[in-house]
């Protein structure tokens, strides 16, 4: 089923078109928006043309080799992958952007395992006790990373637990919840109004990570998230599986955290409501009102958290191509792709190496090939270009979170982050996904460029699932940097969309996060190269544009951008 020959000749023609007919770029901008000049200069196009699918293949082949042992965070294979990536960046002549003149940024992490000695009980004012079972009834972690912690506090129901000034929504209403345990719903108030929590699309306010963070910011000691399958968009089994065993966290840096960060089963939530003489359905309905006020229940959570704490260390790999403009070189475009995967499971029978060929050796191969092509360009962009391969994505975007908190260039001066994660080697794409780009001032450029590349922009099929918040670009967005991922859609040359969807379903069902996500010689990296060229062109444009890219007015990340501009010094790396 190899179509490489046909596909590559199409690409060659396409590139020739771009190279020969640069005035077309300007034409596209005239119809697509105001900000699409200047077009890529000849040397940049020449460098972009050198992006080679076979070089991407070579990186994927090595990074997903069994010898790399699944590139586990804090495991030997992960360290080898980081050294390989750093070595490639050195060979390209790029400058170190890590700590102490190195290509590495240490990401200090802690592994927390909730031990079976943990106890978790609901206690009424009258002294009735209901002990909950770990795993089947609740799942909890001590985010304060202590071996033992006790909680004996009133439970306060706070509805969705959201404070969102831009939507005039505040479930807390100024209530003092210091030292309390907050009972809350996942997701956000339902809406069909785009200006209210983006209608059906999930905003960050709906994610469970936000709920825990907000509760901690308000001084609470614990949070109980009510699990309801339709509201969470996944069943209890998923909560249970992803909340058993060790969970990794960034080492604490003074941020407030919860002693009890937990989910409770819907049946437990119902029982809890009736112990309080309340009705869960009514409580849920009440939470949908703007007038909702927190309710203190006549019930306490009494928990004794016992945890195993382990230090984990891993590195983000980073290099920089200094900009050519003496003024603008203090600003940067950033490219990111995570190199970590799930590692090796020595206790598992049979193939126990999670090679992570698609996820995310492909993204690393693309990142390295983009870096290589910039290094070959006879003309350099005005702003600097940062290349960062982050660690611990599979642990919950931890490497990129640390990067966002300690960027090598202050966040306010990073104009754009382009991320790559799991770009399937399936042939020549006719679509591109850039979800999140439409929220930035850069979108007209993205549209015009997609047009140039004959790529149709495929919108996010399920914005309610909140995929935007589950990939590394989000870690950069939350510190204000306009950021999105670039990926193929489902329509490939020579196939209909149904074929593409079938390939995606088969991958998700059989290989995603399985040891069988492996390299095969018949993989076709044409599409990965196309995504690399597209990203190269976008990055080049952003690096040379007169202004920095911004979030659209009233976007949920606009406030973070404005804040980063106010205090740029506090964002400096250490
Ligand atoms: Zn991934």
């Amino acid at each position: 089923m190899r179509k490489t020959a046909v596909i590559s000749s199409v690409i060659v023609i396409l590139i020739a078109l771009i190279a020969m007919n640069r005035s077309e770029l300007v034409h596209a901008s005239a119809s697509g928006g105001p900000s699409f000049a200047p077009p890529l200069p000849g040397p940049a196009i020449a460098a972009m043309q050198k992006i080679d699918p076979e070089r991407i293949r070579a990186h994927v082949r090595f990074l997903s080799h069994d010898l790399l042992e699944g590139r586990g965070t804090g495991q030997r294979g992960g360290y080898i992958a980081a050294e390989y990536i750093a070595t490639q960046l050195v060979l390209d002549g790029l400058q170190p952007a890590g700590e102490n003149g190195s290509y590495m940024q240490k990401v200090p992490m802690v592994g927390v395992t909730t031990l079976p000695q943990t106890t978790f009980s609901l206690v009424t004012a009258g002294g009735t006790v209901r002990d909950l079972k770990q795993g089947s009834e609740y799942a909890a972690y001590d985010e304060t990373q202590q071996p033992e912690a006790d909680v004996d506090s009133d439970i306060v129901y706070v509805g969705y637990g959201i404070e969102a000034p831009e939507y005039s929504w505040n479930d807390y209403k100024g209530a003092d919840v210091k030292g309390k345990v907050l009972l809350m719903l996942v997701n956000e108030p339902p809406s069909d109004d785009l200006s209210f929590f983006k209608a059906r699309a999930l905003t960050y306010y709906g994610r469970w990570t936000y709920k825990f963070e907000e509760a901690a910011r308000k001084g609470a000691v614990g949070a109980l998230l009510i699990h309801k399958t339709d509201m969470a968009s996944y069943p209890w089994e998923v909560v249970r599986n992803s909340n058993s065993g060790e969970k990794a966290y960034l080492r604490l840096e003074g941020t407030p955290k919860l002693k009890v960060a937990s989910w409770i089963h819907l049946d437990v939530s119902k029982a809890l409501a009736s112990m309080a003489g309340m009705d869960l359905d009514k409580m849920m309905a009440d939470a949908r009102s703007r007038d909702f006020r927190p309710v203190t229940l006549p019930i306490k959570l009494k928990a004794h958290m016992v945890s195993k704490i382990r230090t984990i260390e891993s590195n983000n790999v980073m290099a920089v191509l200094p900009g050519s403009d003496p003024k603008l070189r203090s600003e940067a475009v950033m490219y990111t792709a995570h190199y970590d995967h799930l590692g090796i499971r020595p206790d598992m029978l049979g193939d126990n190496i999670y090679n992570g060929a698609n996820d995310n050796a492909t993204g690393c191969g693309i990142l390295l090939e983009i870096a290589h092509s910039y290094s070959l360009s006879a003309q350099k962009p005005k702003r600097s270009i940062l290349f960062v391969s982050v660690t611990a994505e599979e642990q919950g975007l931890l490497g990129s979170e640390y990067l966002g908190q300690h960027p090598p260039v202050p966040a306010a001066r990073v104009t754009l982050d382009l991320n790559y994660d799991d770009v399937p080697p399936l042939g020549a794409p006719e679509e591109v996904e850039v979800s999140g780009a439409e929220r930035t001032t850069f979108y007209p450029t993205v549209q015009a460029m997609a047009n140039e590349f004959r790529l149709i922009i495929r919108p996010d099929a399920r914005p309610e699932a909140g995929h935007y918040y589950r990939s590394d670009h989000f870690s950069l967005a939350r510190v204000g940097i306009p950021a999105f991922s670039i990926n193929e859609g489902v329509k490939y040359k020579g196939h209909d969309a149904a074929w593409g969807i079938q390939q995606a379903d088969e991958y998700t069902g059989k290989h995603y996060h399985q040891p069988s996500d492996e390299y095969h010689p018949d993989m076709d990296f044409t599409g990965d190269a196309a995504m690399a060229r597209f990203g190269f062109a976008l990055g080049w444009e952003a690096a040379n544009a007169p202004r920095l890219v911004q979030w659209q007015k009233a976007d949920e990340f606009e406030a973070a951008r404005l804040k980063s501009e106010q205090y740029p010094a506090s964002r400096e790396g250490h």
Side-chain angles (χ1 to χ4, degrees):
M1 283 243 304
R2 292 206 53 185
K3 302 197 178 286
T4 314
V6 182
I7 291 160
S8 45
S9 59
V10 170
I11 293 285
V12 167
I13 292 165
L14 192 81
I15 289 162
L17 265 172
I18 294 167
M20 283 158 48
N21 194 5
R22 284 200 279 133
S23 63
E24 216 184 297
L25 285 161
V26 182
H27 279 298
S29 69
S31 58
S35 62
F36 199 66
L40 261 59
I45 290 170
M48 183 181 79
Q49 278 179 303
K50 293 195 181 102
I51 287 177
D52 179 356
E54 295 313 305
R55 288 176 51 91
I56 298 176
R57 174 196 301 283
H59 293 310
V60 173
R61 181 182 164 280
F62 179 79
L63 287 170
S64 61
H65 198 284
D66 275 357
L67 289 171
L68 275 281
E69 298 173 346
R71 307 186 304 276
T73 295
Q75 293 183 359
R76 187 178 69 153
Y79 295 120
I80 297 173
E83 283 300 336
Y84 173 81
I85 292 166
T87 301
Q88 297 301 317
L89 297 169
V90 174
L91 289 171
D92 287 332
L94 299 172
Q95 303 295 309
E99 291 158 343
N100 309 318
S102 79
Y103 289 82
M104 301 291 176
Q105 176 183 53
K106 269 202 182 75
V107 180
M109 288 173 282
V110 167
V112 179
T113 310
T114 304
L115 297 176
Q117 299 92 300
T118 294
T119 60
F120 213 76
S121 318
L122 304 173
V123 184
T124 66
T128 310
V129 179
R130 177 174 167 155
D131 297 325
L132 302 183
K133 285 188 202 72
Q134 198 177 330
S136 60
E137 294 191 312
Y138 79 96
Y141 283 93
D142 179 356
E143 295 184 330
T144 63
Q145 306 171 6
Q146 298 302 312
E148 290 193 50
D150 283 288
V151 163
D152 186 1
S153 304
D154 288 336
I155 297 175
V156 181
Y157 177 55
V158 292
Y160 287 97
I162 294 173
E163 181 176 346
E166 67 272 44
Y167 302 127
S168 313
W169 188 276
N170 185 354
D171 287 316
Y172 288 94
K173 304 285 191 303
D176 182 6
V177 295
K178 278 195 193 69
K180 310 286 188 194
V181 172
L182 308 183
L183 175 69
M184 56 179 107
L185 305 169
V186 284
N187 217 304
E188 57 199 18
S191 146
D192 291 319
D193 177 359
L194 261 182
S195 65
F196 183 66
F197 291 101
K198 289 192 185 279
R200 283 172 54 77
L202 191 70
T203 70
Y204 187 54
Y205 295 112
R207 294 274 292 143
W208 58 269
T209 45
Y210 164 80
K211 314 273 178 173
F212 289 163
E213 288 159 10
E214 191 61 33
R217 278 193 288 267
K218 296 265 192 272
V221 293
L224 308 172
L225 275 180
I226 297 172
H227 176 264
K228 195 159 178 282
T229 301
D230 58 335
M231 290 169 79
S233 89
Y234 37 79
W236 177 256
E237 282 314 303
V238 171
V239 173
R240 182 185 179 148
N241 291 339
S242 51
N243 289 280
S244 63
E246 185 180 80
K247 206 175 187 109
Y249 294 90
L250 288 183
R251 198 166 67 203
L252 293 180
E253 292 186 294
T255 345
K257 293 287 173 188
L258 302 173
K259 288 182 183 174
V260 171
S262 73
W263 289 79
I264 53 174
H265 194 280
L266 186 62
D267 294 342
V268 173
S269 318
K270 284 177 182 159
L272 169 60
S274 71
M275 281 167 83
M278 296 170 76
D279 175 68
L280 188 65
D281 289 333
K282 177 158 188 311
M283 289 163 72
M284 287 185 173
D286 291 348
R288 287 183 212 130
S289 163
R290 224 179 217 127
D291 301 326
F292 170 86
R293 302 194 76 84
V295 186
T296 302
L297 307 184
I299 297 187
K300 281 176 187 272
L301 176 75
K302 196 167 164 31
H304 179 58
M305 299 292 296
V306 186
S307 309
K308 189 178 122 198
I309 310 293
R310 180 176 77 98
T311 299
I312 307 171
E313 215 161 70
S314 185
N315 295 297
N316 289 332
V317 188
M318 44 179 77
V320 64
L321 174 73
S324 59
D325 183 299
K327 270 194 186 139
L328 293 181
R329 68 160 52 122
S330 68
E331 300 174 346
V333 167
M334 186 186 275
Y335 289 95
T336 46
H338 77 87
Y339 71 82
D340 67 294
H341 196 52
L342 302 170
I344 187 166
R345 305 258 162 101
D347 51 338
M348 207 166 103
L349 291 171
D351 184 1
N352 58 10
I353 300 173
Y354 290 76
N355 305 77
N358 280 34
D359 186 10
N360 185 30
T362 56
C364 295
I366 290 170
L367 179 99
L368 289 176
E369 191 57 355
I370 293 175
H372 184 61
S373 61
Y374 270 106
S375 76
L376 294 177
S377 180
Q379 183 182 327
K380 302 299 184 210
K382 289 180 184 166
R383 293 190 176 86
S384 297
I385 312 286
L386 284 165
F387 300 97
V388 188
S389 191
V390 294
T391 186
E393 187 270 353
E394 309 288 8
Q395 311 296 319
L397 315 182
L398 296 185
S400 57
E401 185 182 342
Y402 190 81
L403 172 67
Q405 290 164 7
H406 306 273
V409 168
R413 288 190 228 142
V414 178
T415 182
L416 180 69
D417 167 60
L418 297 173
N419 185 60
Y420 289 93
D421 194 353
D422 206 333
V423 183
L426 289 172
E430 293 180 346
E431 293 178 324
V432 66
E433 285 186 18
V434 287
S435 299
E438 74 286 354
R439 299 164 64 162
T440 71
T441 57
F442 195 56
Y443 196 50
T445 306
V446 176
Q447 285 177 302
M449 199 64 84
N451 201 31
E452 280 309 311
F453 278 73
R454 308 292 189 270
L455 292 166
I456 292 165
I457 295 177
R458 183 180 171 81
D460 189 348
R462 288 183 61 232
E464 66 275 18
H467 289 300
Y468 185 82
Y469 309 98
R470 302 183 191 186
S471 209
D472 286 314
H473 59 243
F474 166 61
S475 294
L476 288 316
R478 63 187 313 190
V479 298
I481 300 169
F484 58 93
S485 288
I486 296 174
N487 211 328
E488 300 154 7
V490 298
K491 177 76 179 76
Y492 293 86
K493 197 136 225 131
H495 300 281
D496 56 12
W499 180 86
I501 291 167
Q502 188 202 323
Q503 300 297 309
D505 287 349
E506 192 176 312
Y507 168 71
T508 308
K510 291 187 188 156
H511 309 301
Y512 174 72
H513 284 196
Q514 302 288 333
S516 63
D517 178 6
E518 292 176 310
Y519 170 73
H520 299 285
D522 64 349
M523 284 174 163
D524 181 345
F525 290 89
T526 309
D528 299 76
M531 294 296 111
R533 290 187 197 104
F534 183 63
F536 175 95
L538 290 181
W540 186 281
E541 286 293 299
N544 291 284
R547 281 157 202 259
L548 294 172
V549 177
Q550 301 299 341
W551 293 98
Q552 296 286 5
K553 284 261 163 298
D555 189 272
E556 68 185 294
F557 300 114
E558 192 197 14
R561 187 64 153 176
L562 295 173
K563 194 174 154 210
S564 75
E565 285 161 2
Q566 250 177 308
Y567 308 104
S570 69
R571 300 286 175 190
E572 302 271 4
H574 310 291

